Amino acid sequence: MESNYFEVLNKVKTTNFSNGLIQKLFKTFKVQSILTRSNIKKEKGHSILQLIYTLFVINIDNFRSIYSGLKHLSCEKMIDPIMNMMGNINYDWKGALFRVAKVYEKIQPSTDDDKMIIFDDSSNTKTGKKVDFTSWFYNHAEDEYFRGFQTVMASYYNGFQSIPLSFIFKIGNYRKYNSKNIRKYPKGSKMRGIVRSSKKSKTQIVMQMLKQTLKRRFDFSYVLWDSWYTCAESIEFVFDRLISKDINLVSMVKRDGRYYHYRGKYYQQHQLFFKAGRNWNKIEGGDIKYKEIVVDYIDSRQKTDNENRDKLGKVKLVFVKYPDVEKYRILLSTDIKLTGVDILEKYLRRWSIEQLFKNMKQHFGYNQCMSGKYEVLVADFTIRCVFYIIMAYRREYYRSQSMMEVILEFYKEFYENTLEKLIQKVLYDSIVKIINHAKSLGIKTIKELENNLDKIFVDIFNRPIEKIVPD
């Protein structure tokens, strides 16, 4: 046969949005409509949907880069359209991600009451000198500095798993040597606003994400973050903007020298530890101990005595002692009706965003984009987050499976679908060749075709049929 089966397979995988499995998922999430509403569209050449589809295939095949995936699929000519799409500074990628997450919120089957918005950040190392805006950051977990960005992420937790909701590649204050930090975007472009936001403090970034989440009317009851985001500025935001909407904060608190108000006096954390009582409460069935106390959170930003500082609101502090850990940890909740056990249980759900980062790094190419342009990095990561949400939706119906198992199952279905279409195409092409060759031999009836079928097969395929299908 003249056509190469491998080339035909790749053509089936990438042409005309052929795989019904992916097409169905894209329709479920209204991807075409969302792209249009986000001003992600073009008039000529490959459609945006076709480019997104091709990137999905590359991600499913787990290639290390877009170019290597396109080369494997014999689609090298698509590299320029894809880079042009991701390099468009006026496309609203942030809005697109919010809209896809909103669809997930509406169609996912979970009915858990404790829906949450969870914040965390992770290192995003970039070493190239020509990468836009790279900076020095300190990785506290690894106790080392790295060059690149901090990925500050908001996730939506539905009681079972977290999905990406929004993110910012934070630009630091300590510039990397010879980095193109001076690059500017024109006024009115979407990327100019994103870059402006990325230069704010992490606390300000988180508050901005919360405002955007509220604007899009996501349904959630709690906000979770770790101790790096707990400060007077963020606590004031929670009391001013969230409590009235019946949304509360559960977070960890740094062990430091800040003061709290308790029964007319001001105490530091170690003093409140003793005020909470001598005896520990034990969690039933475990070795974790805790004790709790309700205090007023005071505004430590004000340069004055404690007595003259504003009280932002009442919070419950929970001192938690894990077995075989020398120091206790401190949790904070603005919902003072919760017990210490409830607060601990809710805070432990923050682990779901850690699992999100882990899955993104292992299965969705978290840091695989090779471009040095900031807008391309943002677009690439947004598209990967969309793919994550789609796979998370499938996982809702297979809750006993890990994300990797869900992806493998999807991979199997995807290739079964692709091979079915490949067989149909090869069969059709072969029938057409047999008929055309029979006509050239002067064969006019089905009986003549049947009597000469072996000869026709040898003429076309250069081998007797028994070499392919033995008796």
Side-chain angles (χ1 to χ4, degrees):
M1 189 175 181
E2 294 178 4
S3 299
N4 182 287
Y5 286 129
F6 183 72
E7 292 179 358
V8 176
L9 175 63
N10 288 333
K11 188 175 182 180
V12 170
K13 285 165 63 177
T14 58
T15 302
N16 297 326
F17 204 52
S18 60
N19 195 292
L21 184 62
I22 298 179
Q23 187 178 26
K24 183 179 179 180
L25 287 171
F26 276 32
K27 284 185 177 180
T28 299
F29 279 88
K30 305 176 182 177
V31 174
Q32 179 65 76
S33 174
I34 287 173
L35 290 171
T36 302
R37 290 172 61 195
S38 305
N39 195 38
I40 304 174
K41 54 188 176 180
K42 55 183 296 197
E43 296 180 357
K44 298 180 180 180
H46 297 282
S47 70
I48 295 291
L49 197 63
Q50 179 64 49
L51 299 178
I52 299 291
Y53 171 83
T54 303
L55 291 173
F56 192 98
V57 173
I58 291 172
N59 193 88
I60 289 297
D61 278 333
N62 200 27
F63 289 103
R64 290 192 61 83
S65 70
I66 293 174
Y67 181 75
S68 63
L70 291 174
K71 186 175 181 180
H72 178 83
L73 296 171
S74 303
C75 297
E76 296 97 325
K77 292 182 179 180
M78 294 184 74
I79 188 65
D80 286 339
I82 287 175
M83 288 297 107
N84 290 337
M85 174 188 70
M86 294 198 294
N88 192 310
I89 61 176
N90 293 309
Y91 286 172
D92 186 13
W93 293 107
K94 179 183 286 188
L97 181 56
F98 264 118
R99 292 181 179 103
V100 172
K102 187 65 178 178
V103 174
Y104 172 88
E105 183 202 23
K106 290 180 179 179
I107 65 176
Q108 50 85 26
S110 175
T111 57
D112 194 285
D113 292 332
D114 281 348
K115 297 182 177 69
M116 303 173 177
I117 302 298
I118 307 175
F119 293 93
D120 200 6
D121 56 78
S122 182
S123 58
N124 192 341
T125 304
K126 297 292 181 183
T127 56
K129 290 185 177 181
K130 294 184 179 180
V131 180
D132 296 339
F133 306 122
T134 51
S135 313
W136 284 102
F137 289 95
Y138 182 68
N139 187 330
H140 294 270
E142 302 293 334
D143 191 27
E144 63 182 13
Y145 285 91
F146 70 92
R147 293 178 296 193
F149 309 101
Q150 277 185 324
T151 305
V152 182
M153 180 175 286
S155 72
Y156 172 75
Y157 176 75
N158 68 345
F160 169 62
Q161 62 182 342
S162 281
I163 62 163
L165 186 63
S166 183
F167 71 91
I168 283 287
F169 289 148
K170 175 166 171 43
I171 299 171
N173 296 322
Y174 300 99
R175 297 180 178 179
K176 174 181 173 293
Y177 176 71
N178 205 27
S179 179
K180 296 168 61 178
N181 283 52
I182 59 174
R183 186 175 180 193
K184 295 182 179 180
Y185 295 94
K187 291 182 179 180
S189 66
K190 291 293 182 182
M191 197 52 54
R192 183 183 177 92
I194 291 175
V195 170
R196 185 168 58 247
S197 298
S198 67
K199 294 180 179 180
K200 296 180 180 180
S201 69
K202 289 199 294 184
T203 301
Q204 291 172 330
I205 290 173
V206 164
M207 290 189 296
Q208 182 177 10
M209 287 181 177
L210 274 172
K211 291 176 184 177
Q212 294 165 347
T213 305
L214 292 171
K215 183 178 179 180
R216 287 167 171 80
R217 299 183 180 180
F218 279 84
D219 177 27
F220 61 101
S221 302
Y222 290 93
V223 173
L224 305 184
W225 60 52
D226 65 16
S227 59
W228 299 106
Y229 302 97
T230 306
C231 62
E233 184 179 12
S234 60
I235 296 295
E236 182 181 39
F237 176 86
V238 170
F239 279 108
D240 287 349
R241 300 290 297 272
L242 302 185
I243 298 298
S244 61
K245 296 177 174 61
D246 202 23
I247 300 171
N248 282 281
L249 169 70
V250 175
S251 70
M252 188 167 282
V253 181
K254 293 180 184 178
R255 290 170 59 107
D256 55 22
R258 75 183 73 183
Y259 283 86
Y260 301 83
H261 179 259
Y262 176 67
R263 294 186 177 179
K265 295 184 178 181
Y266 295 87
Y267 300 96
Q268 292 179 311
Q269 293 164 350
H270 68 279
Q271 295 170 315
L272 290 172
F273 174 79
F274 293 105
K275 291 291 181 182
R278 288 186 176 183
N279 300 324
W280 290 94
N281 300 309
K282 273 196 174 183
I283 295 179
E284 186 176 351
D287 297 324
I288 300 175
K289 300 183 293 185
Y290 72 95
K291 49 186 177 179
E292 58 193 60
I293 188 171
V294 176
V295 300
D296 291 305
Y297 198 102
I298 65 174
D299 191 347
S300 58
R301 296 170 297 177
Q302 297 172 336
K303 304 298 182 181
T304 183
D305 296 335
N306 287 327
E307 290 78 6
N308 296 318
R309 287 176 173 172
D310 294 334
K311 299 178 183 65
L312 300 178
K314 290 191 176 297
V315 299
K316 178 173 281 190
L317 298 181
V318 182
F319 301 90
V320 181
K321 181 72 167 61
Y322 292 96
D324 302 322
V325 177
E326 182 180 353
K327 295 182 179 180
Y328 59 80
R329 296 182 180 180
I330 309 172
L331 301 180
L332 177 150
S333 174
T334 57
D335 188 352
I336 61 177
K337 295 179 181 179
L338 294 177
T339 66
V341 175
D342 292 336
I343 292 171
L344 177 59
E345 287 180 348
K346 291 185 186 302
Y347 184 76
L348 290 178
R349 298 189 183 190
R350 202 185 71 83
W351 176 253
S352 65
I353 197 172
E354 302 286 354
Q355 194 63 43
L356 189 160
F357 274 119
K358 180 181 177 182
N359 287 332
M360 287 293 296
K361 292 173 182 178
Q362 291 183 346
H363 309 302
F364 293 89
Y366 171 80
N367 193 22
Q368 288 185 1
C369 184
M370 303 299 180
S371 176
K373 295 182 178 180
Y374 188 83
E375 61 270 22
V376 174
L377 295 173
V378 170
D380 175 86
F381 193 70
T382 301
I383 293 169
R384 295 177 191 275
C385 286
V386 169
F387 296 162
Y388 188 100
I389 294 173
I390 292 174
M391 288 293 102
Y393 169 70
R394 282 182 60 89
R395 187 172 176 237
E396 289 285 348
Y397 297 93
Y398 305 95
R399 291 197 168 196
S400 62
Q401 296 183 354
S402 66
M403 181 61 80
M404 181 181 72
E405 290 171 326
V406 170
I407 293 172
L408 289 175
E409 186 66 28
F410 181 84
Y411 186 86
K412 178 182 176 182
E413 290 183 46
F414 172 77
Y415 269 93
E416 285 176 353
N417 189 304
T418 301
L419 288 172
E420 181 182 354
K421 290 185 178 296
L422 172 65
I423 292 170
Q424 292 171 355
K425 179 171 177 54
V426 171
L427 180 61
Y428 176 83
D429 291 345
S430 299
I431 292 173
V432 170
K433 287 189 175 184
I434 289 172
I435 292 174
N436 290 335
H437 190 67
K439 287 181 178 179
S440 69
L441 296 176
I443 295 174
K444 297 181 179 180
T445 66
I446 297 296
K447 187 66 177 176
E448 289 181 280
L449 176 63
E450 184 179 353
N451 293 334
N452 291 276
L453 192 58
D454 288 352
K455 179 183 183 306
I456 293 172
F457 194 93
V458 172
D459 290 346
I460 294 175
F461 300 104
N462 298 319
R463 71 187 75 178
I465 191 168
E466 58 269 15
K467 290 286 184 73
I468 301 175
V469 185
D471 293 334

